[in-house]
Amino acid sequence: MNMFCYQCEQTAKGIGCTAFGNCGKDPQTATLQDLLIYAIKDISRYAHRARQLGSIDKSVNVFTVEALFSTLTNVNFDPVRFQTFLIEAASLRERAKSLYETASKRKGQTPEQFTCDVQWWTGLGSLDALLEKGLLVGIQEKINKLGPDVAGLQELIVYGLKGASAYIDHAAILGKEDDAVYAFIHKTLARLTQKPADVGELFQTALDTGAMNLKAMEMLDFANTGAYGHPEPTQVRITPLKGKCIVVSGHDLKDLEELLKQTQGKNINVYTHGEMLPCNAYPGLKKYRRLVGNFGGAWQDQRIEFDRFPGAILMTTNCLQKPKDTYKSRIFTSGLVGWPDVTHITNRDFTPVINAALAAPGFTEDEPEKFITIGFARNAALAVAPKIIDLVKKGKIRRFFLIGGCDGAKPGRNYYTDFAQKLPRDCVILTLACGKYRFNKLDFGSIDGIPRLLDCGQCNDAYSAVQIALALAQAFNCGVNDLPLSLVLSWYEQKAVAILLTLLHLGIKNIKLGPTLPAFLSKNALDVLVEKFSISPVGDVDKDMKDMLGVS
Ligand code: SF4
Ligand code: SF3
């Protein structure tokens, strides 16, 4: 069986994964994901029109976002879970359809009738039948039909929606929702079922997706800070302590909080991993004495790191890799994450995780102490803004570099380490997301008490970075593009796509992007990005840095 997926940076040969995903996604799962995306576009037609007539169904909203998020890279690899999703999708299609028809009748209107080339909602009990249908709606088919320019831009929009859905889902878990984001997603997916838009409209929709993602990140910021307080500068231990242990990876703060509650009094140390590192800076999470620090680095090292972690492992969101047999019995998934034959936690009952931690040996001794400093999200960073502005005016800080984004396994990502290390000592680095593990354990020193490395947090804390940039622009009475600020970004999955669209929506120019440019964007589409936004690929560290510093 074949597949075609080009949604992430690690796509095979920089073109597309066709036999098996480089991420570990098998062709069955890929095909079912394609069918699920097709299904939610169909459902969105009804949901969008029903909303226009004043009828909204919360379960359709939540399902749309969960379905999108589950197809994000490195989230769910379990074909059975996707079959279940499709069964649920079929019943939600009926619900959305009847919602629309009832609303139409109420207004004295005749509801529109829609057709689908593929009747995805029938034969749901047979995996083979679903796979047959999925193959008809794959991305390669779309490219053949629409050409690489339009197909690629349509996918850019869908990937932006996937990324934003991750943030919308996290915010909803903490009780923050806004119908405007669901409305945008339904409207946009519904539009994608119609006669293809031209390139200009597709670009505009992509930028609008970036605007919606800004709203999603803002909601999540408010949800996180509302529940756990504002991150504060914090020294985090990065070496293990003696004792039984659990490591929590992913992005879900609520899962971590519940686990910390459930492990109280059980003598189990809890460590963050990957994108959970910033949790150590939230007052509402760091108050738990047993949250003892961070273990390991970014997602792509997990098969080595989890192998040597002597406790239980919880994967709350992306990025999961194929578990090794050595730890398969002590790794657990939660939320939308899934891997066949790995125990999935439901209803945040972490008893199996706790039991696995108690059964595992744990660390036998304390490793020598080592700490890193984190916690410079918007509140903490803006608290030191007056001092930073003063240092800029005195010429002690020459330039800011936002070096952040996703990490990944492909070669070429040491560019970001080299770049950070080679920066002149009068430059400050802002960072966020898992790409920071390329350099966040290095000592960059400080400038008059301001650390040269300011860690804003997770990928969604791009919202914080935007707020910091806007505040600096206001202080210097200029636009963000006129600030002494350069953006050097790394991408891997679709949350990075959503964030990139947000930055473009804000009109931010001259972004350096790498390690490679998205395979799903055709040359023509990339040319437009270069022309309109002066985006350029990362190249030679020394040359790129000289260009950004404006020195010859
Ligand atoms: Fe390949 Fe990336 Fe798609 Fe996985 S998500 S199949 S690595 S393009
Ligand atoms: Fe990393 Fe997966 Fe993107 Fe949250 S954990 S940034 S890659």
Side-chain angles (χ1 to χ4, degrees):
M1 185 172 177
N2 267 338
M3 59 184 274
F4 187 88
C5 180
Y6 62 178
Q7 69 175 359
C8 84
E9 198 272 337
Q10 245 163 237
T11 196
K13 299 185 184 135
I15 300 171
C17 294
T18 51
F20 210 89
N22 277 349
C23 58
K25 184 160 77 176
D26 67 274
Q28 283 197 343
T29 305
T31 305
L32 294 173
Q33 288 186 356
D34 289 344
L35 191 61
L36 182 59
I37 294 293
Y38 184 81
I40 60 166
K41 284 179 186 164
D42 180 25
I43 295 170
S44 294
R45 298 193 285 195
Y46 298 109
H48 169 56
R49 282 167 179 77
R51 181 179 275 103
Q52 284 181 313
L53 298 170
S55 291
I56 295 167
D57 186 299
K58 186 172 160 55
S59 60
V60 174
N61 291 344
V62 171
F63 180 80
T64 307
V65 160
E66 289 185 348
L68 281 165
F69 184 11
S70 67
T71 67
L72 194 119
T73 298
N74 283 355
V75 172
N76 200 317
F77 299 83
D78 188 350
V80 175
R81 290 273 292 278
F82 283 101
Q83 187 176 15
T84 310
F85 260 121
L86 282 158
I87 292 168
E88 200 180 340
S91 88
L92 286 168
R93 178 182 189 271
E94 283 313 304
R95 192 187 270 251
K97 188 166 179 267
S98 126
L99 193 72
Y100 168 51
E101 288 172 353
T102 309
S104 300
K105 277 185 203 132
R106 215 173 36 232
K107 300 256 175 192
Q109 298 175 4
T110 310
E112 280 180 74
Q113 298 299 317
F114 301 116
T115 51
C116 270
D117 292 340
V118 174
Q119 300 212 334
W120 62 268
W121 58 90
T122 60
L124 294 161
S126 155
L127 201 56
D128 285 345
L130 291 178
L131 291 171
E132 246 173 61
K133 290 175 189 178
L135 286 173
L136 299 173
V137 299
I139 290 163
Q140 188 61 63
E141 279 58 38
K142 191 180 294 168
I143 299 169
N144 296 345
K145 204 153 90 189
L146 303 174
D149 297 347
V150 169
L153 286 170
Q154 285 195 353
E155 289 305 295
L156 168 68
I157 293 163
V158 172
Y159 302 158
L161 297 179
K162 289 186 184 193
S165 291
Y167 301 141
I168 296 165
D169 182 63
H170 288 306
I173 285 170
L174 291 171
K176 283 263 182 291
E177 287 181 88
D178 182 341
D179 192 61
V181 297
Y182 296 123
F184 180 86
I185 293 174
H186 285 141
K187 182 179 85 172
T188 305
L189 289 174
R191 176 68 186 94
L192 291 177
T193 64
Q194 295 170 335
K195 185 173 166 288
D198 62 22
V199 167
E201 185 190 331
L202 287 167
F203 260 112
Q204 188 53 51
T205 307
L207 296 183
D208 294 345
T209 304
M212 183 275 289
N213 183 57
L214 182 61
K215 176 89 211 149
M217 290 195 298
E218 181 182 66
M219 264 192 331
L220 180 53
D221 179 293
F222 287 13
N224 286 340
T225 54
Y228 306 113
H230 281 279
E232 46 196 34
T234 303
Q235 292 249 299
V236 181
R237 187 179 174 115
I238 53 168
T239 46
L241 287 165
K242 183 178 173 180
K244 303 278 183 189
C245 49
I246 298 173
V247 67
V248 185
S249 195
H251 300 71
D252 194 308
L253 276 57
K254 179 77 178 162
D255 274 354
L256 177 64
E257 182 195 19
E258 286 302 319
L259 181 74
L260 287 165
K261 280 185 189 162
Q262 291 173 35
T263 47
Q264 274 184 318
K266 295 201 177 335
N267 279 339
I268 297 172
N269 290 328
V270 177
Y271 297 83
T272 57
H273 174 265
E275 278 280 71
M276 294 299 276
L277 166 65
C279 296
N280 292 282
Y282 284 89
L285 295 172
K286 68 190 231 185
K287 70 179 183 192
Y288 292 93
R289 202 175 51 86
R290 287 292 185 166
L291 178 60
V292 294
N294 190 72
F295 178 83
W299 66 273
Q300 74 279 356
D301 295 329
Q302 67 186 254
R303 298 186 85 230
I304 298 167
E305 292 173 353
F306 292 171
D307 198 22
R308 66 183 174 84
F309 186 77
I313 304 147
L314 175 66
M315 283 306 301
T316 68
T317 58
N318 59 310
C319 282
L320 172 67
Q321 288 184 298
K322 180 181 180 181
K324 279 187 171 183
D325 288 342
T326 48
Y327 61 82
K328 200 169 177 184
S329 63
R330 52 190 175 84
I331 187 169
F332 301 83
T333 57
S334 65
L336 295 165
V337 192
W339 191 279
D341 302 326
V342 164
T343 307
H344 188 69
I345 300 296
T346 47
N347 299 325
R348 294 201 172 80
D349 176 359
F350 294 110
T351 310
V353 184
I354 293 167
N355 288 341
L358 292 172
F363 287 103
T364 51
E365 57 187 40
D366 291 354
E367 273 187 28
E369 278 189 346
K370 267 191 207 157
F371 292 89
I372 57 172
T373 304
I374 63 162
F376 286 95
R378 63 185 166 96
N379 216 40
L382 292 178
V384 291
K387 184 159 184 192
I388 289 178
I389 291 160
D390 188 48
L391 290 172
V392 174
K393 285 183 178 160
K394 286 182 176 149
K396 291 194 172 182
I397 293 179
R398 182 175 10 163
R399 198 166 184 84
F400 300 92
F401 286 83
L402 175 63
I403 312 176
C406 307
D407 208 344
K410 257 175 44 177
R413 288 185 183 261
N414 52 351
Y415 172 94
Y416 299 93
T417 320
D418 295 347
F419 197 100
Q421 277 184 306
K422 285 187 171 183
L423 273 176
R425 290 200 51 82
D426 56 1
C427 293
V428 168
I429 303 166
L430 294 168
T431 193
L432 49 86
C434 61
K436 64 171 160 259
Y437 281 103
R438 292 276 156 179
F439 48 80
N440 71 340
K441 291 171 186 162
L442 304 175
D443 184 4
F444 289 95
S446 59
I447 302 173
D448 281 11
I450 300 290
R452 283 189 59 230
L453 179 70
L454 299 173
D455 182 351
C456 301
Q458 291 184 339
C459 45
N460 44 287
D461 294 309
Y463 177 76
S464 264
V466 166
Q467 296 310 309
I468 294 165
L470 291 175
L472 287 176
Q474 202 181 16
F476 288 108
N477 202 14
C478 66
V480 170
N481 287 319
D482 305 315
L483 281 173
L485 167 70
S486 298
L487 280 76
V488 188
L489 305 184
S490 52
W491 82 285
Y492 169 55
E493 33 76 359
Q494 299 75 51
K495 291 194 252 183
V497 173
I499 293 169
L500 182 66
L501 293 177
T502 298
L503 296 174
L504 300 184
H505 150 74
L506 291 168
I508 293 172
K509 294 193 172 171
N510 297 313
I511 294 171
K512 281 268 176 214
L513 184 64
T516 56
L517 296 181
F520 53 84
L521 288 181
S522 64
K523 180 168 179 322
N524 289 338
L526 284 170
D527 286 349
V528 174
L529 284 183
V530 172
E531 190 196 317
K532 280 194 163 179
F533 297 100
S534 308
I535 284 191
S536 56
V538 297
D540 174 71
V541 171
D542 296 313
K543 183 179 176 316
D544 288 353
M545 196 178 299
K546 276 184 184 165
D547 287 350
M548 289 179 223
L549 287 168
V551 293
S552 48

